[in-house]
Amino acid sequence: MADSNTTTLAMVGNCDPSKKQWWIFLVSSLLTLVGGVLLVLCGQLIIAIHKKVTCRTKVVHVGENHITEETKDNETVKFAEKQSDSGEQKDDNIGWVTAAKDGAGELISGQTTSGRILVVFVFFLSVASLIVFFIDADSTKVEECVEWETATTSQVDLALNICFMIYFFIRFIAAQDKILFLFEVYSMVDYFTVTPSFVSIYLDRKWLGLRFIRALRLLNLPDILQYLNVLKTNSHIKIARLLSRVLAFWLTSAGLVHLCENTGDPWLHIPNIQPLTFWECGYFVLVTSTTVGYGDIYCKTTLGRLFMVFIIMFGLGMFASAIPEIYELVQSGGKYSGSYKCEKGKRHIVVCGHITYDSVSSFLADFLHKDREDVDVEIVFIDKRMPHFDLEGLFKRHFTQVEFFLGSVMDAKDLERVMLAKADACLILANKYCDDPDAEDAANVMRAVSIKNTCANIKIIIQLMQYHNKAYLLNVPCWDWKNGDDAVCLAELKLGFIAQSCVAPGFSTLLANLFTMRSYKVTDWKELDDGMSWQNDYLRGTGMEMYTQVFSLAFIGMSFPAAAELCFTKLKILLIAIEVKSLDGSTRIAINPGLNVKVESQTQGFFIAQSDEEAKRAHYYCQQCHHDLTDEKLIRKCRCKGLKKAAERLKIVKNASTEGR
């Protein structure tokens, strides 16, 4: 026992605390790097020489001739080399080298379960190694003599470094370019952290050194959190990346200052050491990098001041580059980042595409016009750009029926946020003033593809600029014209109006007035001059639009001319078409049909009227209650039951006559 203690004391005595041997640790790390590069170069050289020799000695069969080593023809030699290389490559592809490379690639890949487990495991080992470093760096001693057998933190650090070394070799096997791999950031981390831990055993000396660069592994934090299903949204991933960069920069800079200040300038005979703990250096770096600089702690060594200059420059550059990203995250995390809450009984439509103040104001002016009496539909706008102040003010004025969300229809998660699956329809607006109409149509078609891929049954109404781009819609998945999917081509409408105006002058004006929502209050005839009555009629006509309503029970059995006459004379609305059901169950729109078309139950009519309130007269009209009214404005919904019974009897008689036929 005494001999053992004497030996131990002698070993400690060989380690002179007054001598600084930190350079040995650095040289060992550099020699590891240089040795690895030389070994890789030698290996590649041996493989190249082996292939060359094999190519020269191998017999290649070309056609019916055999080419040997003594062949003088250069072309055949080149062909032989190509054949040899391809054969060698084929052998390698089925050899153990390729199998080992593929296996190593799967182990470090996040695409496989085993790869994700290994990557997460190594990350937690890196965190554990950092914790061990924090324990050792809590003192002001950077280099000291210790017995390795009694240094618990050194033993734990060695065990962790052995795991890192194994992971290094796995990554080396999977690397395509070995030389490039040796100079990667994480490879450099291994050189300057793994190698010194083995040297410390031989020297019985502990040197904190560059162990702080293990903090660079924190840059993998966003990937790890994605593997663990913690991060799912794009904004959360951006926040995690930003925080990991800041944390890695802070810890690495603090470790560098801690090393320089506690080591002193190596060229001075009298050391200018400033004893600082790691966390004091962390406080100093944080305060200085943010340009506050209280002055209570500052660098005294020349190396510390030199590195601090670069740290400040790099920190300012990093924070400056992060400002736009932080601004984007703050904006995206605001009021437009939530999800649409679909209330029971409420209907909504989704509007995307060219979302600007002009396009939205025109759309809302038409869709929410006061002539549409009961527009109980909410409008959900979605765009990847933040709305400008004018557009935001427009949304606020219509906040009861309009909502805006920041997102893209090309992202399925954003489409889920606006409840696309429960929407009545999706409208894609086009930029009417774009410089490249074909590019605008291509972008809208791609939006339609994304929407249909997410929700195949949604009805899409898309605006296109050019007629020939309609053909691309046939290739959109689940596009069905019968289901209500439709395309409005602006150029087609303009040219069609011009052509019809040549055939029937005034036709384009008539349709334009019908399609445009306007309101006009009829002026009293007594207030008009004799020559101004035509203007009143014209302006009254411009205020009319096309509406659809289901006929009341009083119209059942009437022919179309009789129903049109009743609507015009009694209700003061113009009936132009009705929906006719065929024998196969399909429906079609009949414009001004003859006497053979009768109004049936739940038949829908197409009316030209001033407002939806006027068109509802056809739905509320009751022969028993309204036949003696002279003012059409008094036609309202009644609770008459006699007409309903008469309609039921008429339906029974009609069914009986049909069966008799």
Side-chain angles (χ1 to χ4, degrees), residues 114-133:
S114 59
R116 288 193 291 269
I117 293 174
L118 181 60
V119 172
V120 173
F121 177 69
V122 171
F123 178 79
F124 283 112
L125 290 182
S126 300
V127 175
S129 179
L130 268 180
I131 294 174
V132 174
F133 169 75

Side-chain angles (χ1 to χ4, degrees), residues 541-562:
T542 59
M544 291 189 176
E545 298 85 28
M546 189 178 298
Y547 298 93
T548 59
Q549 286 293 336
V550 176
F551 285 103
S552 67
L553 299 177
F555 287 90
I556 295 178
M558 287 188 181
S559 63
F560 178 84

Side-chain angles (χ1 to χ4, degrees), residues 35 90 94 118 221 262 294 342 362 376 456 487 499 532 538 541 546 550 565 567 580 594:
K90 186 176 181 180
I94 60 176
L118 181 60
L221 180 62
N262 288 282
Y294 293 115
C342 187
S362 299
D376 192 19
M532 298 296 293
Y538 178 79
M546 189 178 298
V550 176
E565 182 180 1
C567 289
V580 180

